Amino acid sequence: MNLWQRYQDWLYYHQGLDLYLDISRMRFETSLFESLKPQFTQAFQEMEALEQGIIANADENRMVGHYWLRNPEIAPPEQKKEIIDNLEGIEAFVQKVHQGTIKPPEADKFTDILSVGIGGSALGPEFVAEALSPDFPPLNIHFIDNTDPAGIDRVLNRLKDRLKSTLVIVTSKSGGTPETRNGMLEVKWAYEQQGLKFPAHAVAITMIGSKMDELERMEGWLAEFPMFDWVGGRTSEMSAVGLLSAALLGINIRELLDGAKEMDIATRVTEVKNNPAALLAFAWYYSGDGQGKKDMVILPYKDSLLLFSRYLQQLVMESLGKEQDRDGNIVHQGLAVYGNKGSTDQHAYVQQLREGIPNFFATFIEVLEDRPGKSLEVEPEATSGDFLSGFLLGTRLALYDNHRDSITITIPQVNPRTVGALIALYERAVGLYASLVNINAYHQPGVEAGKKAAASILDLQRDVLGVLKASSTPLNITDLSAKAGASEQCETVYQIVRHLAANQRGVTLTGDRAKPANLTISYH
């Protein structure tokens, strides 16, 4: 095989973004590419219908319009006005915060941002902050993205006296997401402990009419920005969810949107070889036989892109991990994503990628510019950046030589336009791939099932505590479970009381911990 010719045949280049996409090191045959053209024709038609406002999330009767966020001109009139008004509102608010016109009661200016959210309300803002924040941003940002009490304490303890000059952004579409609600309540309590007025520091990002919207209006929070019914969490970075914190950090959000818009234009092209998202989707399809049989390993060779793999985990896995296809057949589709960064990976798991189980394909993210200005030569005719580039090219070659496939995406710099373009590229690739394998990328029944299961555990915990408080004598697990109406859930009841006992919740376990069935449980 003439690899140089294959490289030229399959290399995609976008002049406006100075972005390259190379799938030549995926060992597909041209015949597969040709055979999939009818499916791609349908995928392009479905994508066009999506952007025109069809109901794509039938479970919730929702349109899917994240593409409108960076190009309001293609949105329906009502959504167009919402997008423009929201963007202008964000910019006006941020300008006043930076100027000190909007400020906390106890300080001259806000110095920090505390972002409280989960999933799509956290991963996008975290990725963009890590990738694009200036070295000395106007405000420093901190995240509470879990309901882990120790993690919450760690963030709040680091802020300590700076809580009085911290702007708290609470993001939840429904306002009732338990993790976000818990984080908000913990933060609110921390403010009250310091004698501070939480509403004077709080900003809500939520849907009109949600529980948080009602709370914000009742308590008189500092501001509120809308979440739109037609934007899913994993595609919400270009909405207030991502734009507010990015703008507060001094990131040029108009360039972020422009980069995404320019990539959207490129990924509407109906000639597969001239559409980078279609090429990505094709490479994914080939690698996993259209069934996700191989994992996607994301290897960005730039520190600032460290969180890109985490961001893509939600975007790709929540969109593509589906039990049923669109016809109701059981298919168990999905595409697992993991990654760290190069060249850290040279000393972590590249050994397995090179010689271990060939159950993956790699995606290298190459950034051409090492740093602004010249670099020190750490060896004759070689800089630190040359070493980084050498590790990328060498690893790509070593993997291919051992029959491990890879994709390479090359950008000139990490800047708002290129980051916006990368986000848009993968959003479109996910949608096209979903069409190829006949699944709905825009709903998430498994997530809802997990939430319902967690709620049932907490209901059981309340029943168990009720039984223990009413009992005058200690109970064993079997009797406690029966009295709580959970005879078939002894293991879960044991795990509940063990957790309660470990956290001084009035529950005591007596007996041999290695033999749970023989323990007695009491409440005092």
Side-chain angles (χ1 to χ4, degrees), residues 505-516:
R505 302 285 295 282
V507 174
T508 300
L509 306 184
T510 304
D512 184 353
R513 300 297 178 99
K515 298 178 180 178

Side-chain angles (χ1 to χ4, degrees), residues 140-333:
N140 297 303
I141 194 164
H142 317 266
F143 292 93
I144 292 177
D145 61 359
N146 200 2
T147 188
D148 173 16
I152 293 170
D153 287 349
R154 189 176 192 186
V155 173
L156 293 174
N157 287 337
R158 286 174 173 175
L159 282 167
K160 283 190 177 178
D161 296 338
R162 295 204 310 280
L163 272 184
K164 66 184 179 183
S165 60
T166 295
L167 182 70
V168 182
I169 302 173
V170 186
T171 306
S172 173
K173 180 176 277 190
S174 68
T177 305
E179 298 94 333
T180 305
R181 180 205 61 210
N182 296 352
M184 185 267 292
L185 291 173
E186 294 259 12
V187 172
K188 187 176 183 180
W189 185 78
Y191 271 85
E192 292 169 353
Q193 291 299 107
Q194 291 193 22
L196 302 171
K197 295 180 179 179
F198 175 73
H201 298 76
V203 175
I205 301 178
T206 189
M207 277 184 57
I208 302 299
S210 73
K211 295 177 183 178
M212 187 173 295
D213 175 50
E214 294 172 2
L215 180 65
E216 183 273 332
R217 294 174 189 275
M218 181 177 67
E219 295 187 347
W221 287 19
L222 190 59
E224 179 178 327
F225 295 93
M227 294 183 79
F228 304 126
D229 181 64
W230 37 270
V231 176
R234 56 190 175 277
T235 54
S236 64
E237 177 55 29
M238 305 289 174
S239 72
V241 172
L243 297 182
L244 177 59
S245 60
L248 286 166
L249 290 169
I251 297 166
N252 190 326
I253 57 174
R254 293 279 180 170
E255 289 191 4
L256 188 76
L257 292 166
D258 285 346
K261 177 182 177 180
E262 195 159 357
M263 180 56 73
D264 285 343
I265 294 169
T267 56
R268 290 189 189 104
V269 173
T270 56
E271 172 57 46
V272 178
K273 287 194 74 170
N274 293 322
N275 181 324
L279 288 172
L280 269 186
F282 167 65
W284 299 353
Y285 187 97
Y286 154 74
S287 183
D289 292 334
Q291 299 173 52
K293 292 179 179 178
K294 291 190 176 182
D295 300 341
M296 181 193 304
V297 182
I298 302 293
L299 303 173
Y301 275 66
K302 209 66 173 176
D303 287 356
S304 59
L305 297 179
L306 168 66
L307 298 182
F308 193 40
S309 60
R310 281 190 64 198
Y311 173 76
L312 290 180
Q313 278 177 340
Q314 184 188 23
L315 175 63
V316 175
M317 296 174 73
E318 191 168 311
S319 298
L320 302 181
K322 302 294 160 65
E323 182 178 50
Q324 296 182 5
D325 66 13
R326 292 183 293 192
D327 300 320
N329 301 310
I330 301 297
V331 291
H332 296 294
Q333 276 286 357

Side-chain angles (χ1 to χ4, degrees), residues 68 71-89 226 228 230:
W68 306 335
N71 187 5
E73 295 303 319
I74 67 171
E78 181 182 348
Q79 282 73 30
K80 175 182 176 179
K81 186 177 187 307
E82 286 180 326
I83 295 164
I84 294 172
D85 289 349
N86 183 50
L87 183 56
E88 291 175 351
F228 304 126
W230 37 270

